[in-house]
Amino acid sequence: MKKVGIVMGSDSDMPVAEKAIERLKDFGIPYEVHIYSAHRTPAQAKAFAEGAEAAGFGAIIALAGKAAHLAGALAANTTLPVIGVPVKSSTLDGLDALLSTVQMPTGIPVATVAIDGATNAAILAAQIIATGDEALSATIKEDRAKAAAAVLEKDAALSN
């Protein structure tokens, strides 16, 4: 099974990254977590992205706040899918990070989830990897069915 790379721009992003880690564990997907800054360690971020496919990764989740150039910097150096998670870490409530992550130039796409949306980033990474893994695809479908059942159970409770 392909791995997911989780790259944070700073260790202060870890509380958000933990949400992705938990979902990947739920799905049984191997992962690695790293701290590389697009601005402070650009050479290391580039090297990680350039070597990610050969190292067995199938997708990369990039978490960053403020200027949030990490996802784009990684995407510029790999053809693997990169999922950006803008992190709420500044006085602009994460809007700066959202705009920096989502506004990529043509030819270098970054899939972007909600501010602090690491859970959805992990689910999307799982879905990407599941395109070549029938067992993982079945696990994701089962997870969705459980979520639907939980909502219907709550709906039924309202009627009683």
Side-chain angles (χ1 to χ4, degrees):
M1 178 183 294
K2 297 278 186 181
K3 301 181 286 187
V4 173
I6 300 172
V7 183
M8 302 175 290
S10 169
D11 64 345
S12 64
D13 300 329
M14 192 62 187
V16 178
E18 287 173 350
K19 297 173 188 174
I21 292 167
E22 288 307 311
R23 286 306 278 151
L24 293 173
K25 285 180 181 177
D26 290 345
F27 290 129
I29 298 172
Y31 62 89
E32 287 183 17
V33 181
H34 297 279
I35 301 171
Y36 299 127
S37 168
H39 303 110
R40 295 180 301 269
T41 60
Q44 290 81 1
K46 180 180 180 184
F48 175 80
E50 287 177 338
E53 189 172 2
F57 291 94
I60 298 170
I61 297 171
L63 300 96
K66 298 185 181 181
H69 295 123
L70 182 59
L74 295 172
N77 290 290
T78 186
T79 57
L80 290 176
V82 176
I83 304 161
V85 180
V87 176
K88 181 179 178 180
S89 63
S90 72
T91 56
L92 296 177
D93 290 329
L95 184 59
D96 49 348
L98 173 63
L99 294 174
S100 295
T101 305
V102 77
Q103 292 290 67
M104 291 300 299
T106 300
I108 308 295
V110 169
T112 306
V113 297
I115 296 168
D116 290 349
T119 299
N120 270 354
I123 294 168
L124 182 55
Q127 289 174 302
I128 290 166
I129 291 170
T131 61
D133 187 320
E134 289 182 29
L136 179 57
S137 181
T139 299
I140 293 168
K141 288 174 185 172
E142 184 179 305
D143 185 68
R144 287 232 179 142
K146 286 178 186 176
V151 170
L152 294 175
E153 186 177 310
K154 292 174 184 178
D155 178 63
L158 288 175
S159 301
N160 294 332

